[in-house]
Amino acid sequence: MKITGIVGGHFGTSSPFDGNVQASFRLFEDGFSMVKLLNIGLFIPFGFFSLVVFRKLKNRWIYGVLIGLLFSIMIEFLQSFVGRFVQLEDILMNTVGTFLGYGICFWLLELKQKRKKV
């Protein structure tokens, strides 16, 4: 709970088995908080290593970001089964983190390639 910033924040429980799923589709209702920064930060390595593992994604950045988007949607979907609060903001922030991680890795690979030429 602490790593995702839930401690001290608003936390709701839900379960599709009880017919009660709590989800929020409002974007930036609480402003831009530390929870959103943590969601971005948690997915930066995901975007970084998706390019390391799948080298063919180097010239197709959209596929790297889509991998992060789909993984984030899957996490939020599974959260509804374990009693967590599902938020659209989390999906958006996780995808931004994936994009940033992908961009950092792409930049480092380009820098490495330029050094090889020199």
Side-chain angles (χ1 to χ4, degrees):
M1 295 292 225
K2 191 171 184 178
I3 195 165
T4 59
I6 298 298
V7 174
H10 175 69
F11 179 68
T13 60
S14 63
S15 173
F17 300 117
D18 297 337
N20 178 24
V21 175
Q22 295 182 6
S24 173
F25 297 107
R26 297 183 201 160
L27 294 176
F28 304 109
E29 180 179 20
D30 301 328
F32 199 81
S33 64
M34 182 59 98
V35 175
K36 290 165 189 62
L37 289 176
L38 286 171
N39 278 328
I40 291 171
L42 286 171
F43 267 70
I44 287 176
F46 189 81
F48 185 90
F49 290 114
S50 67
L51 183 56
V52 170
V53 172
F54 304 110
R55 290 286 179 140
K56 292 183 179 182
L57 295 177
K58 187 174 180 187
N59 294 326
R60 297 184 177 130
W61 65 270
I62 192 70
Y63 293 126
V65 175
L66 283 175
I67 289 172
L69 174 68
L70 292 175
F71 192 69
S72 180
I73 290 171
M74 184 177 64
I75 289 172
E76 291 296 315
F77 174 73
L78 292 175
Q79 281 182 355
S80 68
F81 290 98
V82 295
R84 294 280 308 267
F85 195 72
V86 179
Q87 291 181 308
L88 184 61
E89 286 178 346
D90 289 350
I91 295 171
L92 181 64
M93 294 298 108
N94 293 343
T95 305
V96 168
T98 303
F99 180 72
L100 289 175
Y102 180 90
I104 291 168
C105 187
F106 182 82
W107 179 74
L108 289 174
L109 288 173
E110 288 293 315
L111 188 65
K112 181 181 174 184
Q113 208 171 37
K114 286 181 183 178
R115 285 191 176 190
K116 281 185 179 179
K117 289 180 181 179
V118 174

